[in-house]
Amino acid sequence: MADFRPGTPDQEEFLRELLGAGYLIESGVPGVYGRGEAFERVRLGFDAKVTAASEEESPEHMVFPPLLPRRQMEDVGYLQSFPHLACTVFSFDGDEEQAAEQEHRAAAHEDWSDFQEMTDLVLKPAACYPVYPAIAARGPLAPGGVLVDAGGTYVFRHEPSGDPARLQAFHQREIVRIGEPETVVEWRNRWRDRSLELLRSVGLDAVPDVASDPFFGRSGRLLARSQRAQELKFEVLVQIAGPEPTAVASFNYHQDHFSAVYGLEMAADDGGDTTAHTACLGFGLERITLALVRTHGLDQEGWPAAVLAELGI
Ligand code: ZN
C-alpha cells in the first residue's frame, strides 16, 4: 500500500474549502473526488481552449478508454520508471466456494486479494500511451509525420495525498507529435510558449521550467538528472496551495523511446527508412481548474468578466 502523504496545512485548508464550496465531492479516499458543476464548467472551458488552439494545426483526433492493455505498460518500461505509481486491474478467478469466502472477507472489509488474478488491463497512466502503437500499425510515416489530439481523458497514479493538486485520477489533455527529430522539437518548443499565453489569458501567473519525471529509486535519480541536462522535459508552473509552484502542463521530448518500442519510422524515397521521434504535451485540467479557483476565489460569479469570457462561462 502506497504511503499516504499528508498535505501541508495550506493544502489541507484549500481542500476543505473546495469540498465546502462544492467544487469537489468527497469519496472517502484521498486524491479521488467527484467534481461539482462549478468545477466542471472551468475544466471543460479550459479543455475547449486547448482544442481551439490546436485546431489550426489540423490534428487527427483519437479517443481511448481509461484502461490500457497491460502489455503496453510492460512494453514502454513504465514498471521500471514508475513502479510506485502504476495502477493494475485484477479480477475474480475462482469457484463458488472461493466466491463465497471472498464475499465473506469483503463484507468484513478484510483482505480478499487471494481470490484476485491479474487481468490483461491496467489503468492508463498517461493519455498518450495508446497513440504510439496505433500510429506504428500504419507503417512508415510520410514526411512531416503526424499530430494526434488524444483528448482529455482520465489517467491514474497511485499516490494518495492530502494535497488537492495531487490526485489519483485526473484528466490529462494530451497532444502527440510524431515525426522527424527537428520537427518534433520545434513543435514541442512552440507549444511550451503557446501554453504560457493560454494560461496567462485566464489570469494565471504561469512560468516555464526545465523539469524531470518522478523516476523510481536510485537509478531513477540518474535518469532524472540526464533528462534535465538534455532539457527533454519542460513544465509550466503556477502557484496553487503548495510551498512550491505546481506543474500544470508538461512538454516532453521522448527522442526515440517509443519509436524503439513500436518501430515508428519515417518513410524515405530511397527506401532507407529512418527512426521517427516523438513528443507529447499534457495539460493537467484539474490542476489548472484548482489554480484558477485559488487565483480568482471560491465565488465563481465574482471572477473577472474577461476570465469567464475566455473560459466560455
Ligand atoms: Zn504523453
Side-chain angles (χ1 to χ4, degrees):
M1 184 108 166
D3 288 340
F4 169 67
R5 276 204 281 173
T8 65
D10 256 8
Q11 291 166 345
E12 303 271 5
E13 189 191 335
F14 187 41
L15 176 57
R16 279 192 297 275
E17 288 174 355
L18 292 161
L19 292 167
Y23 278 93
L24 296 181
I25 301 160
E26 189 77 81
S27 78
V29 175
V32 179
Y33 305 101
R35 281 84 164 140
E37 282 177 35
F39 190 98
E40 283 299 274
R41 269 196 297 275
V42 177
R43 182 178 73 78
L44 294 171
F46 194 84
D47 184 67
K49 281 183 73 64
V50 175
T51 304
S54 63
E55 239 11 67
E56 69 187 44
E57 296 177 329
S58 305
E60 178 176 343
H61 292 265
M62 287 186 181
V63 180
F64 293 95
L67 293 162
L68 188 75
R70 169 161 59 91
R71 174 88 196 217
Q72 289 183 20
M73 180 179 264
E74 294 165 355
D75 283 343
V76 299
Y78 191 84
L79 294 165
Q80 183 185 355
S81 299
F82 313 107
H84 54 310
L85 300 178
C87 296
T88 49
V89 177
F90 282 60
S91 189
F92 175 72
D93 188 20
D95 57 25
E96 282 183 48
E97 194 184 327
Q98 288 166 322
E101 175 59 18
Q102 174 175 261
E103 160 56 17
H104 178 71
R105 291 192 203 173
H109 301 301
E110 288 167 3
D111 182 0
W112 42 281
S113 59
D114 285 351
F115 308 105
Q116 295 285 306
E117 294 286 333
M118 194 170 234
T119 68
D120 290 340
L121 297 166
V122 296
L123 299 189
K124 193 166 60 176
C128 63
Y129 280 2
V131 172
Y132 309 108
I135 296 294
R138 296 178 183 173
L141 300 171
V146 295
L147 178 68
V148 175
D149 183 338
T153 70
Y154 261 120
V155 297
F156 303 87
R157 311 270 168 90
H158 190 216
E159 47 179 351
S161 161
D163 176 2
R166 191 165 292 284
L167 298 174
Q168 299 203 66
F170 57 95
H171 290 86
Q172 199 176 52
R173 182 71 172 78
E174 277 228 41
I175 306 178
V176 180
R177 190 79 174 90
I178 305 174
E180 300 85 356
E182 59 281 5
T183 309
V184 161
V185 169
E186 190 271 332
W187 173 86
R188 195 267 313 242
N189 294 345
R190 190 152 35 85
W191 262 96
R192 179 193 55 200
D193 301 340
R194 185 183 282 179
S195 77
L196 288 171
E197 288 167 28
L198 277 176
L199 291 161
R200 287 171 183 163
S201 77
V202 288
L204 295 180
D205 188 8
V207 292
D209 195 15
V210 177
S212 59
D213 284 308
F215 295 113
F216 182 74
R218 199 180 321 162
S219 58
R221 283 197 287 280
L222 289 175
L223 274 177
R225 251 207 300 281
S226 127
Q227 190 182 29
R228 261 176 197 279
Q230 296 181 74
E231 299 197 344
L232 298 179
K233 184 183 187 77
F234 288 100
E235 286 178 340
V236 173
L237 310 176
V238 177
Q239 191 66 46
I240 305 182
E244 305 291 329
T246 302
V248 298
S250 74
F251 306 85
N252 310 285
Y253 176 35
H254 318 119
Q255 298 171 303
D256 67 352
H257 176 74
F258 291 107
S259 309
V261 172
Y262 293 113
L264 286 157
E265 290 186 328
M266 304 304 300
D269 289 341
D270 60 6
D273 296 342
T274 57
T275 302
H277 278 205
T278 69
C280 71
L281 66 87
F283 288 93
L285 295 180
E286 275 76 2
R287 285 186 173 181
I288 290 169
T289 304
L290 295 175
L292 284 161
V293 175
R294 188 71 175 184
T295 302
H296 301 306
L298 290 168
D299 175 19
Q300 206 174 93
E301 286 176 17
W303 287 16
V307 169
L308 292 174
E310 286 285 344
L311 292 167
I313 295 174

